[in-house]
Short mmCIF file of all heavy atoms in Angstrom, two decimals:
data_model
loop_
_atom_site.label_atom_id
_atom_site.label_comp_id
_atom_site.label_asym_id
_atom_site.label_seq_id
_atom_site.Cartn_x
_atom_site.Cartn_y
_atom_site.Cartn_z
N SER V 73 9.24 -6.83 9.33
CA SER V 73 10.28 -6.32 8.48
C SER V 73 11.38 -7.31 8.25
O SER V 73 12.00 -7.40 7.20
CB SER V 73 10.90 -5.07 9.11
OG SER V 73 10.01 -3.98 9.14
N HIS V 74 11.63 -8.13 9.28
CA HIS V 74 12.62 -9.20 9.12
C HIS V 74 12.19 -10.30 8.18
O HIS V 74 12.91 -10.80 7.34
CB HIS V 74 12.93 -9.78 10.52
CG HIS V 74 13.86 -10.96 10.52
ND1 HIS V 74 13.77 -12.00 11.41
CD2 HIS V 74 14.91 -11.25 9.70
CE1 HIS V 74 14.72 -12.86 11.13
NE2 HIS V 74 15.43 -12.44 10.09
N LEU V 75 10.90 -10.70 8.34
CA LEU V 75 10.36 -11.78 7.49
C LEU V 75 10.23 -11.36 6.05
O LEU V 75 10.43 -12.15 5.10
CB LEU V 75 8.99 -12.17 8.01
CG LEU V 75 8.91 -13.06 9.31
CD1 LEU V 75 7.55 -13.10 9.90
CD2 LEU V 75 9.42 -14.47 9.00
N ARG V 76 9.81 -10.12 5.82
CA ARG V 76 9.54 -9.60 4.50
C ARG V 76 8.47 -10.47 3.82
O ARG V 76 7.69 -11.12 4.48
CB ARG V 76 10.82 -9.53 3.66
CG ARG V 76 11.67 -8.30 3.97
CD ARG V 76 13.13 -8.50 3.81
NE ARG V 76 13.71 -9.28 4.90
CZ ARG V 76 15.05 -9.44 5.09
NH1 ARG V 76 15.87 -8.91 4.27
NH2 ARG V 76 15.46 -10.17 6.12
N GLY V 77 8.39 -10.42 2.51
CA GLY V 77 7.41 -11.30 1.83
C GLY V 77 5.96 -10.91 2.13
O GLY V 77 5.65 -9.74 2.44
N ALA V 78 5.06 -11.91 2.02
CA ALA V 78 3.66 -11.67 2.19
C ALA V 78 3.36 -11.17 3.58
O ALA V 78 2.38 -10.38 3.81
CB ALA V 78 2.85 -12.96 1.91
N ALA V 79 4.12 -11.57 4.60
CA ALA V 79 3.85 -11.18 5.99
C ALA V 79 4.02 -9.69 6.13
O ALA V 79 3.16 -8.97 6.68
CB ALA V 79 4.84 -11.87 6.96
N MET V 80 5.09 -9.13 5.56
CA MET V 80 5.31 -7.67 5.62
C MET V 80 4.30 -6.97 4.72
O MET V 80 3.80 -5.92 5.09
CB MET V 80 6.74 -7.36 5.16
CG MET V 80 7.06 -5.89 5.23
SD MET V 80 8.78 -5.51 4.85
CE MET V 80 8.74 -3.73 4.80
N LYS V 81 3.97 -7.53 3.62
CA LYS V 81 3.04 -6.94 2.68
C LYS V 81 1.70 -6.75 3.37
O LYS V 81 1.04 -5.68 3.24
CB LYS V 81 2.84 -7.77 1.44
CG LYS V 81 2.16 -7.10 0.27
CD LYS V 81 3.09 -6.11 -0.39
CE LYS V 81 2.48 -5.55 -1.64
NZ LYS V 81 3.40 -4.65 -2.34
N MET V 82 1.22 -7.78 4.09
CA MET V 82 -0.03 -7.62 4.80
C MET V 82 0.02 -6.58 5.89
O MET V 82 -0.93 -5.85 6.16
CB MET V 82 -0.47 -8.99 5.31
CG MET V 82 -0.90 -9.96 4.29
SD MET V 82 -1.75 -11.40 4.90
CE MET V 82 -3.37 -10.69 5.38
N GLY V 83 1.15 -6.51 6.57
CA GLY V 83 1.33 -5.47 7.59
C GLY V 83 1.29 -4.11 6.96
O GLY V 83 0.71 -3.16 7.53
N GLN V 84 1.89 -3.89 5.79
CA GLN V 84 1.74 -2.63 5.08
C GLN V 84 0.34 -2.29 4.74
O GLN V 84 -0.15 -1.22 4.90
CB GLN V 84 2.54 -2.68 3.79
CG GLN V 84 4.08 -2.76 3.92
CD GLN V 84 4.78 -2.89 2.57
OE1 GLN V 84 4.17 -3.35 1.61
NE2 GLN V 84 6.04 -2.51 2.50
N MET V 85 -0.41 -3.32 4.28
CA MET V 85 -1.80 -3.08 3.90
C MET V 85 -2.64 -2.66 5.12
O MET V 85 -3.45 -1.72 5.03
CB MET V 85 -2.39 -4.34 3.30
CG MET V 85 -1.79 -4.70 1.96
SD MET V 85 -2.29 -6.33 1.36
CE MET V 85 -3.97 -6.03 0.95
N ILE V 86 -2.36 -3.31 6.28
CA ILE V 86 -3.13 -2.96 7.46
C ILE V 86 -2.77 -1.54 7.92
O ILE V 86 -3.61 -0.76 8.28
CB ILE V 86 -2.83 -3.97 8.61
CG1 ILE V 86 -3.38 -5.35 8.26
CG2 ILE V 86 -3.41 -3.47 9.93
CD1 ILE V 86 -2.91 -6.46 9.17
N SER V 87 -1.47 -1.19 7.82
CA SER V 87 -1.07 0.12 8.28
C SER V 87 -1.64 1.26 7.42
O SER V 87 -1.93 2.28 7.89
CB SER V 87 0.51 0.21 8.28
OG SER V 87 1.00 0.27 6.95
N MET V 88 -1.81 0.96 6.10
CA MET V 88 -2.35 1.98 5.24
C MET V 88 -3.86 2.04 5.36
O MET V 88 -4.46 3.10 5.37
CB MET V 88 -1.90 1.73 3.78
CG MET V 88 -0.39 1.93 3.59
SD MET V 88 -0.01 2.29 1.82
CE MET V 88 -0.48 3.97 1.72
N ASP V 89 -4.46 0.88 5.39
CA ASP V 89 -5.89 0.84 5.35
C ASP V 89 -6.51 1.29 6.66
O ASP V 89 -7.61 1.88 6.66
CB ASP V 89 -6.39 -0.59 5.02
CG ASP V 89 -5.97 -1.04 3.61
OD1 ASP V 89 -5.54 -0.16 2.86
OD2 ASP V 89 -6.04 -2.24 3.35
N ALA V 90 -5.87 0.97 7.75
CA ALA V 90 -6.40 1.32 9.08
C ALA V 90 -5.71 2.46 9.73
O ALA V 90 -6.02 2.84 10.83
CB ALA V 90 -6.28 0.08 10.00
N GLY V 91 -4.77 3.06 9.03
CA GLY V 91 -3.93 4.10 9.60
C GLY V 91 -4.71 5.30 10.19
O GLY V 91 -4.42 5.85 11.27
N GLU V 92 -5.80 5.73 9.50
CA GLU V 92 -6.63 6.77 9.98
C GLU V 92 -7.43 6.44 11.23
O GLU V 92 -7.95 7.32 11.87
CB GLU V 92 -7.57 7.28 8.82
CG GLU V 92 -6.81 7.93 7.62
CD GLU V 92 -6.24 9.29 7.97
OE1 GLU V 92 -6.45 9.75 9.14
OE2 GLU V 92 -5.63 9.92 7.06
N MET V 93 -7.62 5.15 11.45
CA MET V 93 -8.47 4.73 12.54
C MET V 93 -7.70 4.30 13.76
O MET V 93 -8.27 4.04 14.82
CB MET V 93 -9.37 3.55 12.06
CG MET V 93 -10.37 3.93 11.04
SD MET V 93 -11.55 5.18 11.69
CE MET V 93 -12.49 5.54 10.20
N LEU V 94 -6.35 4.22 13.64
CA LEU V 94 -5.52 3.85 14.81
C LEU V 94 -5.03 5.11 15.54
O LEU V 94 -4.89 6.17 14.91
CB LEU V 94 -4.30 3.05 14.33
CG LEU V 94 -4.57 1.69 13.70
CD1 LEU V 94 -3.24 1.11 13.21
CD2 LEU V 94 -5.22 0.74 14.72
N PRO V 95 -4.73 5.00 16.85
CA PRO V 95 -4.06 6.11 17.52
C PRO V 95 -2.80 6.50 16.79
O PRO V 95 -2.11 5.60 16.25
CB PRO V 95 -3.80 5.51 18.92
CG PRO V 95 -4.77 4.42 19.09
CD PRO V 95 -4.99 3.82 17.73
N LYS V 96 -2.49 7.75 16.83
CA LYS V 96 -1.32 8.26 16.04
C LYS V 96 -0.05 7.54 16.35
O LYS V 96 0.74 7.17 15.48
CB LYS V 96 -1.15 9.76 16.22
CG LYS V 96 -0.04 10.32 15.34
CD LYS V 96 0.07 11.82 15.54
CE LYS V 96 1.12 12.43 14.53
NZ LYS V 96 2.44 11.74 14.62
N GLU V 97 0.24 7.28 17.65
CA GLU V 97 1.52 6.64 17.97
C GLU V 97 1.65 5.24 17.40
O GLU V 97 2.68 4.81 16.94
CB GLU V 97 1.71 6.62 19.53
CG GLU V 97 0.62 5.85 20.24
CD GLU V 97 0.85 5.87 21.75
OE1 GLU V 97 1.90 6.30 22.17
OE2 GLU V 97 -0.09 5.44 22.51
N LEU V 98 0.51 4.51 17.34
CA LEU V 98 0.51 3.18 16.79
C LEU V 98 0.59 3.25 15.27
O LEU V 98 1.30 2.45 14.63
CB LEU V 98 -0.72 2.41 17.19
CG LEU V 98 -0.90 2.20 18.72
CD1 LEU V 98 -2.21 1.45 19.00
CD2 LEU V 98 0.26 1.48 19.31
N SER V 99 -0.11 4.21 14.71
CA SER V 99 -0.02 4.37 13.25
C SER V 99 1.40 4.69 12.78
O SER V 99 1.85 4.24 11.76
CB SER V 99 -1.01 5.44 12.82
OG SER V 99 -1.05 5.62 11.43
N ASP V 100 2.06 5.55 13.54
CA ASP V 100 3.43 5.93 13.20
C ASP V 100 4.41 4.73 13.24
O ASP V 100 5.29 4.61 12.40
CB ASP V 100 3.97 7.02 14.14
CG ASP V 100 3.24 8.37 13.90
OD1 ASP V 100 2.59 8.50 12.86
OD2 ASP V 100 3.39 9.25 14.77
N ILE V 101 4.19 3.86 14.25
CA ILE V 101 5.05 2.69 14.37
C ILE V 101 4.84 1.75 13.19
O ILE V 101 5.76 1.31 12.56
CB ILE V 101 4.78 1.95 15.69
CG1 ILE V 101 5.26 2.77 16.86
CG2 ILE V 101 5.52 0.60 15.70
CD1 ILE V 101 4.80 2.26 18.21
N LEU V 102 3.55 1.47 12.85
CA LEU V 102 3.26 0.54 11.79
C LEU V 102 3.65 1.18 10.41
O LEU V 102 3.87 0.43 9.46
CB LEU V 102 1.76 0.17 11.77
CG LEU V 102 1.37 -0.74 12.91
CD1 LEU V 102 -0.14 -1.01 12.88
CD2 LEU V 102 2.11 -2.08 12.85
N ALA V 103 3.68 2.50 10.33
CA ALA V 103 4.11 3.18 9.10
C ALA V 103 5.50 2.76 8.69
O ALA V 103 5.87 2.91 7.49
CB ALA V 103 3.98 4.66 9.21
N ARG V 104 6.31 2.28 9.62
CA ARG V 104 7.62 1.79 9.24
C ARG V 104 7.58 0.75 8.15
O ARG V 104 8.51 0.61 7.30
CB ARG V 104 8.39 1.20 10.44
CG ARG V 104 8.61 2.06 11.64
CD ARG V 104 9.22 1.27 12.77
NE ARG V 104 9.30 2.05 13.99
CZ ARG V 104 9.69 1.52 15.15
NH1 ARG V 104 10.08 0.25 15.16
NH2 ARG V 104 9.75 2.26 16.24
N LEU V 105 6.50 -0.03 8.16
CA LEU V 105 6.35 -1.12 7.21
C LEU V 105 6.13 -0.61 5.82
O LEU V 105 6.24 -1.37 4.82
CB LEU V 105 5.20 -2.03 7.67
CG LEU V 105 5.47 -2.86 8.90
CD1 LEU V 105 4.18 -3.48 9.39
CD2 LEU V 105 6.54 -3.93 8.67
N ARG V 106 5.76 0.64 5.64
CA ARG V 106 5.47 1.11 4.32
C ARG V 106 6.74 1.47 3.55
O ARG V 106 6.73 1.51 2.34
CB ARG V 106 4.52 2.38 4.42
CG ARG V 106 3.19 2.09 5.02
CD ARG V 106 2.15 3.03 4.54
NE ARG V 106 2.35 4.41 5.05
CZ ARG V 106 1.76 4.83 6.10
NH1 ARG V 106 1.00 4.06 6.84
NH2 ARG V 106 1.95 6.10 6.55
N ASP V 107 7.83 1.76 4.25
CA ASP V 107 8.99 2.18 3.52
C ASP V 107 10.30 1.76 4.11
O ASP V 107 11.33 2.33 3.88
CB ASP V 107 8.97 3.79 3.48
CG ASP V 107 8.88 4.40 4.84
OD1 ASP V 107 9.04 3.72 5.88
OD2 ASP V 107 8.58 5.64 4.91
N GLN V 108 10.25 0.71 4.93
CA GLN V 108 11.49 0.29 5.54
C GLN V 108 11.51 -1.24 5.68
O GLN V 108 10.57 -1.86 6.12
CB GLN V 108 11.53 0.92 7.00
CG GLN V 108 12.77 0.56 7.76
CD GLN V 108 12.78 1.28 9.09
OE1 GLN V 108 12.39 2.46 9.15
NE2 GLN V 108 13.17 0.64 10.14
N ALA V 109 12.61 -1.80 5.25
CA ALA V 109 12.79 -3.23 5.38
C ALA V 109 14.27 -3.58 5.46
O ALA V 109 15.07 -2.81 5.06
CB ALA V 109 12.17 -3.98 4.17
N HIS V 110 14.55 -4.65 6.13
CA HIS V 110 15.93 -5.17 6.05
C HIS V 110 16.21 -5.61 4.62
O HIS V 110 15.32 -6.04 3.90
CB HIS V 110 16.05 -6.34 6.99
CG HIS V 110 15.86 -6.02 8.43
ND1 HIS V 110 16.72 -5.32 9.20
CD2 HIS V 110 14.76 -6.26 9.22
CE1 HIS V 110 16.21 -5.19 10.43
NE2 HIS V 110 15.03 -5.74 10.45
#
Side-chain angles (χ1 to χ4, degrees):
S73 292
H74 176 214
L75 283 167
R76 282 150 283 190
M80 182 176 172
K81 193 77 172 182
M82 289 193 72
Q84 289 177 338
M85 293 170 70
I86 293 169
S87 72
M88 294 202 75
D89 297 346
E92 293 287 359
M93 293 298 175
L94 294 175
K96 185 178 185 303
E97 58 182 350
L98 300 179
S99 181
D100 289 347
I101 292 169
L102 289 177
R104 299 176 187 175
L105 292 168
R106 296 207 290 267
D107 55 12
Q108 180 175 320
H110 299 285

